[in-house]
Amino acid sequence: MNFNSPCSGAFGDPKEINYSAPLKQLIDEHPSLLAKMAEFNQMVETFEEDNTTDWTKAVNELHDKITTFITELEPHSNREEDVLFEMMVKYIGRDGGPIAVMEYEHSTAKLNLKQFMDKVSVIKEENKEVSKEEAFSLFHHLKIVYITLTDHFMKEENILFPMAEQMLSDEEKQELIIQFEKIK
């Protein structure tokens, strides 16, 4: 993303914007998601530093955390992808701009979450013991999710949401509310 573009500073300080209800909803969902990400990332770091870890137990504990995280992330992500991004595409397009970046980051996070969950499912189905190397490979997926989404939320709050607040009409913001209510 070109941070020297007119998009980067043209909307004022994001903290001073009086957001419409649907955009405020998306912003307000970030702290809980960030807290869950910080928690699983801290678990990964702790497991990596402890050479005596029961790797199977560690992976199972992370699987439980990630299952809860995905349950909260999916509706948030769907509100953005299926509703907000599609509405914004009419104004700024999809190729090479903020929407392209946001969709790429969503895809990266989803792919790594899926790979983690799929691999752990196989481990559980086969009742397999997890080696340190396998655990670290699984941890790598979660690190990518953590880094990608932490940065992603910052971009949304500082660039995308201020842009949406300014460009979308009151009618479109009302439509966001209606569409968001359908996504649970």
Side-chain angles (χ1 to χ4, degrees), residues 2-184:
N2 180 356
F3 287 98
N4 293 321
S5 76
C7 298
S8 64
F11 306 107
D13 182 351
K15 292 175 180 45
E16 294 177 9
I17 295 172
N18 186 17
Y19 287 101
S20 57
L23 293 170
K24 181 149 178 34
Q25 176 184 344
L26 292 174
I27 292 166
D28 290 347
E29 290 170 353
H30 282 176
S32 176
L33 292 165
L34 285 164
K36 284 176 177 58
M37 291 189 316
E39 188 176 346
F40 75 66
N41 190 60
Q42 182 59 55
M43 289 173 69
V44 166
E45 289 177 357
T46 300
F47 292 144
E48 286 179 334
E49 292 169 6
D50 182 8
N51 285 325
T52 62
T53 297
D54 174 340
W55 300 111
T56 303
K57 182 179 177 192
V59 166
N60 285 328
E61 287 176 20
L62 279 165
H63 180 265
D64 292 343
K65 292 283 180 200
I66 297 304
T67 300
T68 301
F69 173 69
I70 290 171
T71 300
E72 185 174 336
L73 179 66
E74 278 184 347
H76 175 81
S77 176
N78 291 340
R79 283 187 276 278
E80 291 177 350
E81 289 174 17
D82 299 341
V83 185
L84 178 63
F85 294 177
E86 290 305 314
M87 202 172 278
M88 292 182 74
V89 160
K90 293 183 266 182
Y91 295 99
I92 60 175
R94 175 169 268 120
D95 300 326
I99 300 300
V101 172
M102 297 294 113
E103 290 179 332
Y104 173 77
E105 290 171 350
H106 276 213
S107 294
T108 299
K110 285 180 178 183
L111 174 64
N112 279 279
L113 286 168
K114 181 177 180 356
Q115 289 173 330
F116 174 85
M117 296 299 280
D118 288 351
K119 290 175 184 177
V120 174
S121 291
V122 169
I123 289 167
K124 287 182 171 214
E125 284 171 17
E126 296 176 357
N127 203 21
K128 232 177 102 180
E129 287 296 312
V130 178
S131 70
K132 180 178 180 177
E133 293 74 24
E134 289 170 316
F136 275 55
S137 175
L138 289 165
F139 296 166
H140 181 71
H141 292 298
L142 300 183
K143 288 179 180 183
I144 291 171
V145 171
Y146 176 77
I147 291 166
T148 300
L149 290 182
T150 301
D151 185 56
H152 176 81
F153 288 173
M154 184 269 308
K155 289 176 192 167
E156 286 180 336
E157 292 176 12
N158 289 296
I159 299 167
L160 191 76
F161 296 158
M163 184 185 294
E165 186 62 43
Q166 185 174 28
M167 76 174 44
L168 298 177
S169 69
D170 289 342
E171 293 78 19
E172 288 169 318
K173 291 172 187 170
Q174 280 302 117
E175 185 61 26
L176 284 177
I177 292 170
I178 292 164
Q179 295 305 316
F180 282 10
E181 287 176 359
K182 295 177 182 178
I183 301 170
K184 298 293 177 201

